[in-house]
Amino acid sequence: MADHTRIEDELELFTCNSSPRPYQTDSAGLNASHRPGLTPDDFRHEQYLLIRDGPRRALVSGCSHKWVLNIMEWFHPDVLIGAFTS
């Protein structure tokens, strides 16, 4: 998946895998299975849905292992809905 997919004018899906992370993150002990073993998870699978309603922007984050502060920096949403980690 590319870092950005436009679904329609009001809906866009992002991964932000190429975006710099101003706030450092780590895997918090979570690992991904890669052959031949496990590596610290980089959370490349996380996705963010941006919903536009006129000038308002709502962001849905299924999980936020890339850190909420980074997500807020990337999008500056009016509303952020999702699961949060620190």
Side-chain angles (χ1 to χ4, degrees), residues 2 7 10 16-17 20 22 26-27 31-33 40-41 46-47 49 55 62 65 69 71 75-76 78-79:
I7 300 169
E10 296 84 11
C16 297
N17 290 331
D26 63 32
S27 69
N31 293 305
S33 179
D41 200 338
E46 288 190 9
Q47 298 179 19
L49 179 66
H65 291 100
L69 294 176
I71 295 167
F75 294 99
H76 302 281
D78 296 297
V79 175

Side-chain angles (χ1 to χ4, degrees), residues 4-76:
H4 173 255
T5 301
R6 182 182 205 119
I7 300 169
E8 59 182 56
D9 288 342
E10 296 84 11
L11 299 173
E12 294 178 83
L13 193 62
F14 295 85
T15 62
C16 297
N17 290 331
S18 299
S19 300
R21 296 183 189 180
Y23 300 92
Q24 290 298 321
T25 62
D26 63 32
S27 69
L30 299 174
N31 293 305
S33 179
H34 295 282
R35 293 180 191 206
L38 298 175
T39 59
D41 200 338
D42 61 5
F43 307 109
R44 297 186 69 74
H45 58 277
E46 288 190 9
Q47 298 179 19
Y48 313 101
L49 179 66
L50 182 63
I51 305 165
R52 297 178 200 278
D53 183 19
R56 308 267 315 170
R57 299 160 39 99
L59 186 71
V60 179
S61 172
C63 56
S64 305
H65 291 100
K66 293 179 184 173
W67 284 33
V68 172
L69 294 176
N70 288 323
I71 295 167
M72 293 296 292
E73 184 74 24
W74 295 329
F75 294 99
H76 302 281

